[in-house]
């Protein structure tokens, strides 16, 4: 056994029925000043899928894929919905777990994508419970890159156009937050561009690619990272595109609604051939990557001033 005697998959969480949607969204936006009308608008997105986000099912699949390879018990907890991280940690304590690697289902720097997971770990830790150690960013790990390259290649094959423009997408964040991401700032966007370039190289492509943004949720007067994916599609001169959700590790609501629904509708209106690559999901190389991260030396935590 290595330095850990358990693995905790720590994720965002999602509703699993119509009655869960608003309570879940209220958990997500608590203290952030998101207008009620925006909350209701997003709730409609979930209700259009029966009130069920795909994320919990996909996390269950990831946990099951990890169990044969992790070498230690695998647990799962969420920030915003059941199973909540604090409940999972109480179970880990009851099971006698002493030290657990924490795999946060987000690959990049930034407040919501990294710092908030450190805050989650502090919040859910309990006296006598396991020490929880967050593993490093992994957007440049060969396992993640290979998984995304394989899924992008499959999307190109479905589209039947080798010369399609690759359009990498990630969750937009306020510009002020992007500027503070990482110890020196700007790390969220820099890491995403690095990952996109590595996927492009893994595909053996030399053509230009684009990084665009999706899922903006803030007030209109606050600048967020642009261009939005739908705005990009309306302006591009590409003959066909493959959307590659490089900023996500599973096909959750932001992917299936913002890309598979909204962006696909825009592409259809434009007569623009479009395919969407799958996220890393349970690709064997991605699953193996988690095991490899557990075998690395314990990472040095980010400074407390990072991403805030």
């Amino acid at each position: 056994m290595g330095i850990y005697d358990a693995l905790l998959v720590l994720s965002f969480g999602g509703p699993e029925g119509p009655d869960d949607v608003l309570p879940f969204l209220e958990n997500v936006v608590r203290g952030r000043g998101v207008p009620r009308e925006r909350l209701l608008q997003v709730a409609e997105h979930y209700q259009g899928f029966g009130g069920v986000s795909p994320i919990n099912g996909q996390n269950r699949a990831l946990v099951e894929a990890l169990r044969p390879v992790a070498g230690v018990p695998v647990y799962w907890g969420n920030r915003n919905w059941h199973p909540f991280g604090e409940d999972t940690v109480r179970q880990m304590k009851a099971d006698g777990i002493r030290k657990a690697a924490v795999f946060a289902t987000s690959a990049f720097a930034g407040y919501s994508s990294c710092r908030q997971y450190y805050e989650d770990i502090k919040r859910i830790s309990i006296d006598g419970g396991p020490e929880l150690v967050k593993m490093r960013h992994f957007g440049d790990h060969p396992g993640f890159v290979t998984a995304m390259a394989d899924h992008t290649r499959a999307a190109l094959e479905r589209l039947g156009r080798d010369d399609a423009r690759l359009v990498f997408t990630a969750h937009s964040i306020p510009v002020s937050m992007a500027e503070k991401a990482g110890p020196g700032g700007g790390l969220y966007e820099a890491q995403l561009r690095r990952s996109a370039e590595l996927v492009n190289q893994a595909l053996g492509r030399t053509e230009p690619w684009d990084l665009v943004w999706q899922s903006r949720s803030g007030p209109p007067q606050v600048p967020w990272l642009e261009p939005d994916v739908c705005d990009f599609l309306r302006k591009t001169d590409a003959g066909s595109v493959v959307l590659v959700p490089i900023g996500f590790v599973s096909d959750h609501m932001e992917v299936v609604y913002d890309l598979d629904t909204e962006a696909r509708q825009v592409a259809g209106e434009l007569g623009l051939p479009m395919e969407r690559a799958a996220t890393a999901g349970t690709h064997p190389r991605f699953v193996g990557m988690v095991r490899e991260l557990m075998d690395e030396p314990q990472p040095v935590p980010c400074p407390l001033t990072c991403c805030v």
Side-chain angles (χ1 to χ4, degrees), residues 5-237:
D5 57 355
L7 169 65
L8 170 61
V9 175
L10 187 59
S11 193
F12 190 81
E16 300 200 78
D19 293 340
D20 297 346
V21 174
L22 271 177
F24 160 74
L25 291 174
E26 288 165 351
N27 286 342
V28 172
V29 304
R30 184 171 290 118
R32 290 171 51 188
V34 175
R36 182 71 175 178
E37 56 269 24
R38 174 57 182 165
L39 209 62
L40 294 174
Q41 181 184 24
V42 175
E44 289 181 6
H45 300 171
Y46 284 91
Q47 298 296 4
F49 292 85
V52 179
S53 169
I55 191 171
N56 277 1
Q58 295 192 12
N59 279 327
R60 290 187 184 96
L62 178 61
V63 167
E64 290 306 311
L66 283 166
R67 283 190 167 128
V69 301
V72 294
V74 182
Y75 296 83
W76 165 43
N78 292 321
R79 175 187 301 161
N80 297 303
W81 203 246
H82 307 279
F84 287 109
E86 46 267 52
D87 296 331
T88 301
V89 170
R90 282 193 287 269
Q91 183 61 54
M92 294 169 75
K93 177 183 178 180
D95 293 344
I97 302 301
R98 300 181 306 277
K99 187 171 186 176
V102 178
F103 177 71
T105 56
S106 181
F108 303 100
Y111 176 72
S112 297
S113 51
C114 181
R115 168 56 54 191
Q116 199 169 8
Y117 282 105
Y118 279 112
E119 294 176 357
D120 291 337
I121 287 169
K122 181 178 180 180
R123 175 177 53 82
I124 67 179
S125 294
I126 55 177
D127 290 342
E131 178 186 356
L132 303 175
V133 180
K134 181 183 179 297
M135 293 189 283
R136 67 170 174 89
H137 304 152
F138 53 84
D140 61 349
H141 192 286
F144 179 71
V145 172
T146 299
M148 293 307 299
D150 284 353
H151 290 321
T152 303
R153 186 179 297 108
L156 286 163
E157 291 172 354
R158 290 195 302 274
L159 190 62
R161 298 179 181 232
D162 292 339
D163 60 346
R165 184 89 169 188
L166 297 188
V167 181
F168 294 88
T169 76
H171 205 301
S172 185
I173 60 175
V175 171
S176 60
M177 189 179 289
E179 290 173 345
K180 293 185 288 187
L187 191 57
Y188 178 65
E189 187 171 358
Q191 287 181 333
L192 283 160
R193 292 191 180 279
R194 171 66 173 159
S195 290
E197 178 56 32
L198 288 172
V199 171
N200 204 53
Q201 291 176 6
L203 291 167
R205 292 170 62 99
T206 57
E207 298 89 345
W209 49 265
D210 298 281
L211 176 64
V212 305
W213 310 96
Q214 60 173 94
S215 312
R216 176 188 170 128
S217 60
Q221 65 271 23
V222 177
W224 283 51
L225 293 175
E226 297 179 335
D228 174 79
V229 59
C230 291
D231 292 340
F232 174 88
L233 294 177
R234 292 185 182 101
K235 295 177 181 178
T236 185
D237 59 0

